[in-house]
Amino acid sequence: MAALEELEAGLKEALVDDAFLAEYEEVLREYAGRETPLTYAKRLSETVGGAKIYLKREDLLHTGAHKINNAIGQALLAKRMGKTKIVAETGAGQHGVATATVAAKYGLECKIFMGEKDMERQKLNVFRMELLGAEVVPATSGSKTLKDATNEAIRYWVSHVDDTMYLIGSVVGPHPYPYMVREFQRVIGDEAKRQMEQLPDAVVACVGGGSNAIGMFTSFLDEPTVQLYGAEAGGKGIETPEHAATLSKGDRGVIHGSLTYLIQDEHGQIIEPYSISAGLDYPGIGPEHAYLKDEERVHYEAITDAEAIDALVKLTQTEGILPAIESAHAVALALKKASTMNRDQSVLICLSVVETKTLIRFVAY
Amino acid sequence: MNRVEAAAKNNDQLFIPYIVAGDPTIEVTIDLARVLEESGAHILELGVPYSDPLADGPVIQAAANRSLQEGTSLQTVIDTVRQIRAAGIQIPIVLFCYVNPILKYGLHDAVKAASEAGVDGWLVPDLPYEENDEMKKTCNEYGNVLISLVAPTSNERVKRIAKEAQGFLYCVSSLGVTGVREEFDSRLDTFITAASESSSVPLAVGFGVSKREHVARLHTQGYGAVVGSRIVKEIEKYETMLRDPHQRSKALLQIKTFVQSLVSS
């Protein structure tokens, strides 16, 4: 708790410090490659025959994912708070790579916890992180995936809070993390809103923990004409036990210091979720998404592995843009919505991550 | 007076062992409760196994996994306490349970059922002081205490938490998770002194307390000792024998001798 209070105080100061904010914006621009383009997906829109589809191209950022926005923000904060070491969890490896990247840039000692199973599945990202100078520590407890990597990162952090900052990769964890990560990701939606000639009728993003979605949605929450949709990982179908559809199928519980929706058994033990995407298989969800669901401001729907693969192929073949499978979940849901809308309407998709890691697995399909 | 409060008040060399319920089986847990009572334990801290035990190190994680594989749940643990009481074992029992199983069971229902089964207190490691109102009120409604944890990093919170502590104040000896350690954190003495100045109940120190010298040092200073991982490790060592009805009593005797060696001065 003391560490969280210290972090909250440090964050509060930083977010009203013009010099800090200016540096954050400058690094986003000159290092990460902001602003990212807004792409009108003409051929994809024509194929669907409904609303015009626009893509917010977070996949074009340095390291290939929106994760770098948050990693830069938190690394600058760590520096400002006098921390010399950073620790992070990673699932698919995107956040781990982003964290290792900023650690290299700022000369911070970096430890990344990664589930042993994920290390096996994402060898290339493990190699990248190590090349960047980070130590990748296998999480061997529990199900040996993202939630266990998070457990191990928290266990490590509470033992080393004096000199270490914990960089959480999504809008999860205890306060102030969900708030902080949202603030460092909202640049996605702020930019997109500026870039669109008029307000979109629908905005779609994928949700695992939910950081790119919150980053995208926040700027549109106060626009009542804009429908917001979150695509959850439906895995092999939400009627099967193999999915990661936390909001569609989970219920109230506490994970990693957040009261939210949770995939759990009847006794309150957390169940390891399943998704084809290692970026979406988190058993919880950012608490703000839980709130937005209950308020019915955002509609969350599950997309199956097969639907996501289908959307990935469609986007690739009509636009020459190959998204990561997690982002393809958003594309799949957007295609469903666009097909029921007319040509004067528009759908904005957050294309959060570029494909770099799992392509070979689709050969099986 | 609640049994935990009485035990904490009446014993100036408080000894509190921790075991995971259902490790390796529920039957063994009942036997171990008796063995620990006979070994001179004043309070039993009974762990409810959890899939994601954030505050625990590898030894207790492994024990929780063994127990979960046996199908142990919060309900099973409550039922086990009922059996412990039916067997005539009187030792005060504090359930060490993460918050999610309690919420899933229903906070009020869980505390009520546990109290009726013979539980005397709760310790919820991932429920911070700032969020514990409802749990505390419900515990007290059923004559139970809610044990509070303070850590060397709790800073100014230490005073607030200590002031409202019930039963005994559980002081975390060092940064990090439970587990066997050689030495204590250097800040321990200053921190505990600060805690004891504000606390209206006795102090017990845990996390890393794993040797006879550790226990003796704490007792000399007037603090209680909580020993978890080191005892759980001993249970792990005798797992096969404990599971075998013919060898169980031999293993229990070994464990008893070990536990007694921790407290004998």
Side-chain angles (χ1 to χ4, degrees), chain A residues 27-37 60-62 68 191:
Chain A
V27 178
L28 284 182
R29 190 172 61 244
E30 296 188 350
Y31 182 73
R34 299 211 76 93
E35 64 181 36
T36 58
L60 292 177
L61 280 171
H62 181 41
I68 194 79
E191 261 180 34

Side-chain angles (χ1 to χ4, degrees), chain A residues 93-231:
Chain A
Q94 300 297 346
H95 175 58
V97 168
T99 303
T101 298
V102 294
K105 177 169 167 57
Y106 293 112
L108 300 164
E109 205 178 302
C110 178
K111 245 189 222 324
I112 306 286
F113 288 86
M114 188 169 187
E116 205 174 35
K117 235 187 246 169
D118 288 334
M119 285 179 73
E120 194 54 42
R121 289 190 288 196
Q122 310 287 348
K123 277 189 187 153
L124 182 59
N125 275 339
V126 174
F127 175 72
R128 277 191 194 166
M129 288 183 270
E130 287 175 345
L131 185 63
L132 285 159
E135 183 192 348
V136 183
V137 186
T140 56
S141 59
S143 50
K144 304 179 175 65
T145 59
L146 177 57
K147 83 173 167 70
D148 311 285
T150 309
N151 290 345
E152 291 300 334
I154 293 174
R155 287 181 184 124
Y156 179 86
W157 186 44
V158 297
S159 316
H160 301 84
V161 287
D162 293 343
D163 59 358
T164 304
M165 165 114 164
Y166 177 27
L167 267 76
I168 293 189
S170 193
V171 283
V172 301
H175 179 73
Y177 279 103
Y179 164 72
M180 171 166 67
V181 178
R182 182 192 75 191
E183 288 307 297
F184 288 141
Q185 289 292 3
R186 63 171 299 161
V187 61
I188 303 173
D190 288 346
E191 261 180 34
K193 195 175 179 183
R194 254 195 333 264
Q195 291 167 317
M196 294 287 290
E197 277 170 23
Q198 51 190 34
L199 279 178
D201 297 282
V203 176
V204 188
C206 64
V207 283
S211 68
N212 88 81
I214 280 290
M216 185 58 132
F217 294 160
T218 299
S219 329
F220 296 99
L221 287 176
D222 293 333
E223 303 288 355
T225 60
V226 181
Q227 298 291 311
L228 303 174
Y229 297 99

Side-chain angles (χ1 to χ4, degrees), chain B residues 234 238 241 249-259:
Chain B
E234 211 60 18
Y238 292 109
M241 284 172 75
S249 49
K250 215 167 126 192
L252 289 168
L253 193 65
Q254 295 285 346
I255 293 170
K256 187 174 183 174
T257 309
F258 173 77
V259 173

Side-chain angles (χ1 to χ4, degrees), chain B residues 21 67 82 109 114 136 175 178-180 193 210 228 231 233 238 240 245:
Chain B
S67 174
R82 192 175 294 112
D109 291 350
K136 197 170 193 174
L175 301 184
T178 59
V180 177
T193 311
S210 49
I231 292 175
K233 228 171 145 176
Y238 292 109
T240 321

Side-chain angles (χ1 to χ4, degrees), chain A residues 1-3 5 141-142 147-148 150-152 154-156 158-162 251-257 259 262 264-271, chain B residues 48-57 61 65 68 71-75 99-101 103-104 126 128 130 153-157 160 175-177 187:
Chain A
M1 282 302 292
E5 284 169 0
S141 59
K147 83 173 167 70
D148 311 285
T150 309
N151 290 345
E152 291 300 334
I154 293 174
R155 287 181 184 124
Y156 179 86
V158 297
S159 316
H160 301 84
V161 287
D162 293 343
D251 59 358
R252 193 172 176 265
V254 169
I255 184 170
H256 300 138
L259 177 64
L262 193 57
Q264 56 185 328
D265 72 9
E266 55 181 315
H267 302 298
Q269 306 289 345
I270 295 170
I271 297 173
Chain B
V48 178
Y50 185 50
S51 55
D52 293 74
L54 265 184
D56 287 305
Q61 286 174 37
N65 282 338
L68 286 173
T72 312
S73 64
L74 177 51
Q75 183 63 59
V99 71
N100 200 51
L103 292 179
K104 186 71 184 178
D126 56 346
E130 288 78 0
T153 46
S154 301
N155 299 334
E156 67 275 19
R157 294 169 75 242
R160 273 180 282 153
L175 301 184
V177 295
R187 285 174 288 190

